[in-house]
Amino acid sequence: MYSQTRGGTRGGAAEFKWSDVGADKDREHYLGHSINAPTGRWQKNKDVHWYNRDAKDSEQQRAEEIRKIKEAEEDAIAAALGFAPVKRVSTTEGPSSSDGPSKSPEEKEAEKEEKRRRKEERRLRKEEKRERKERRRADREDRHQHDQRASRP
């Protein structure tokens, strides 16, 4: 005697699915429907949660970024007012200007020698390439002159 007039969820959290909301005719009445139940071609294979993906950033990184922005603003204002630029000490954890742990003089000399050898190899390759280019250019010029002579009556 009793029959449901409409299927779907009647407020039970266990039965709720955002995929059902996407197909529902009254989807606009759900808070968060545009993000959690996207519909339409433009949303296919799109990351609609892109803004929330970088939750791994710690508060310290955020504070560091804000500090850098403020320093940049201070520098810009100082430059606009004609003050000398302020030298700042970098506190980032990225690669530093040092070569890491101290190296022995033999290691440094070996690195320099390796660098010289690579530089010489690059120079030789470049020279060979230049010579090949000149030969091609000369061959092309010879063919062009030969074609012009052959076409004259």
Side-chain angles (χ1 to χ4, degrees):
M1 187 126 163
Y2 171 76
S3 66
Q4 270 190 337
T5 57
R6 183 174 143 210
T9 304
R10 297 265 185 249
E15 300 170 7
F16 180 80
K17 290 186 239 114
W18 278 109
S19 58
D20 293 341
V21 172
D24 192 2
K25 66 178 182 161
D26 297 319
R27 67 185 289 278
E28 290 82 18
H29 298 292
Y30 290 86
L31 289 176
H33 70 87
S34 61
I35 297 296
N36 295 318
T39 57
R41 286 188 304 185
W42 73 271
Q43 290 148 327
K44 283 272 192 230
N45 302 322
K46 298 276 187 189
D47 184 15
V48 292
H49 294 285
W50 62 268
Y51 60 91
N52 207 13
R53 293 284 185 237
D54 293 332
K56 299 171 191 161
D57 288 343
S58 68
E59 188 63 33
Q60 184 181 10
Q61 289 172 329
R62 187 170 182 275
E64 178 69 19
E65 184 177 355
I66 290 172
R67 183 189 62 78
K68 286 181 182 179
I69 291 170
K70 286 183 179 180
E71 285 179 356
E73 289 173 349
E74 288 174 6
D75 292 346
I77 290 171
L81 295 174
F83 295 120
V86 177
K87 294 196 176 200
R88 303 198 186 273
V89 177
S90 177
T91 59
T92 59
E93 296 177 5
S96 63
S97 61
S98 67
D99 294 331
S102 297
K103 296 180 182 177
S104 68
E106 295 84 22
E107 290 175 334
K108 288 181 181 179
E109 188 59 37
E111 285 180 2
K112 283 184 180 180
E113 189 58 39
E114 178 67 21
K115 190 174 181 180
R116 284 187 205 116
R117 186 186 60 76
R118 285 191 306 241
K119 188 174 182 179
E120 182 64 22
E121 287 175 358
R122 280 194 304 269
R123 188 187 63 76
L124 290 173
R125 281 196 304 264
K126 192 172 183 179
E127 194 174 304
E128 289 172 1
K129 186 177 178 181
R130 189 178 300 122
E131 289 171 0
R132 285 194 308 265
K133 188 175 180 180
E134 287 296 323
R135 281 193 302 255
R136 281 195 309 263
R137 188 174 289 151
D139 291 345
R140 198 176 315 127
E141 184 66 29
D142 290 344
R143 278 183 287 178
H144 181 68
Q145 288 176 357
H146 178 72
D147 290 344
Q148 284 182 344
R149 284 187 214 134
S151 65
R152 289 184 190 159

